[in-house]
Amino acid sequence: MKKNILDLIPFVIAACLSAQAHGQQTGDIVALPLISGWYNGQIVRYVTTDVSDRKAAQDMGANYVPRLVNAISRQRQPGQPGAVERIYSFVNVKQGGVLPSLPAPIGAANANLNYSPLWQVHKVTWLPGKQPHVLKSEEEVLAAEEAGQVSIEKTDIVVNCPVVFSAADGPLPHVKIHLANQDPEP
């Protein structure tokens, strides 16, 4: 009998944790501004909640979280996994950021081990005399740099920007999206 009770402990703990997680949902809703960007030629949408740089946090209407910069691993070798991904943010033209990875699919079934909602900002600047156009993938950004059209500056700014919508998968489960313009191009 004692052995049977001990065997049930993991199941009881799991049930309590599951009930606790579901019990925290209140039905209350928060509205956050969506930011449009690009991934492999498709529109994505994400929210920005936290930023490691005070001025950037103020500009983005986000929490200032200086500790986010600690997510950047200075000792990491190329090819080693880390906590942050790159995001390409455009400085002198209006265009949505470019992300090199997404959750795939969006939600609990995500199998993309490269995705992280923590992004290290890489500032992209169109060079003088070059004709700006919308870049919709990391490959396009890097090709524009190689062609001498843009410069890319790696910063120490880390932003927490979870992706909540992709053209391929739709919205994150339980997320309701209201678009002011039904087809905004980032």
Side-chain angles (χ1 to χ4, degrees):
M1 177 84 168
K2 197 176 202 180
K3 183 180 180 195
N4 291 340
I5 292 173
L6 293 176
D7 288 344
L8 291 176
I9 290 176
F11 297 108
V12 172
I13 291 171
C16 288
L17 291 174
S18 176
Q20 187 179 32
H22 292 295
Q24 292 174 355
Q25 292 182 7
T26 64
D28 295 341
I29 296 174
V30 63
L32 297 170
L34 284 176
I35 301 166
S36 296
W38 295 100
Y39 169 74
N40 282 348
Q42 296 186 341
I43 293 175
V44 298
R45 292 188 171 49
Y46 53 92
V47 295
T48 300
T49 57
D50 310 291
V51 182
S52 66
D53 178 83
R54 185 180 303 276
K55 175 150 180 16
Q58 186 175 20
D59 292 346
M60 294 179 197
N63 292 316
Y64 169 53
V65 184
R67 289 179 59 181
L68 277 178
V69 78
N70 296 331
I72 301 171
S73 176
R74 308 272 187 233
Q75 291 79 30
R76 188 168 58 105
Q77 298 298 316
Q80 285 183 317
V84 297
E85 246 305 11
R86 296 164 307 285
I87 186 168
Y88 299 96
S89 179
F90 294 80
V91 175
N92 58 346
V93 296
K94 186 175 181 178
Q95 105 142 63
V98 173
L99 294 86
S101 69
L102 289 182
I106 286 184
N110 172 41
N112 183 354
L113 300 179
N114 292 319
Y115 171 73
S116 171
L118 299 179
W119 305 95
Q120 184 174 8
V121 176
H122 288 65
K123 292 181 180 180
V124 179
T125 303
W126 282 92
L127 297 175
K130 304 301 178 187
Q131 181 61 44
H133 57 278
V134 177
L135 301 174
K136 299 179 181 182
S137 70
E138 181 178 41
E139 290 76 20
E140 289 181 8
V141 171
L142 296 176
E145 179 187 39
E146 190 173 305
Q149 298 174 320
V150 301
S151 66
I152 300 174
E153 175 195 354
K154 180 178 172 180
T155 74
D156 282 340
I157 299 172
V158 176
V159 293
N160 182 22
C161 298
V163 173
V164 297
F165 172 88
S166 77
D169 296 321
L172 183 68
H174 308 295
V175 168
K176 296 175 183 161
I177 293 178
H178 171 75
L179 301 176
N181 175 355
Q182 289 303 308
D183 190 30
E185 183 157 305

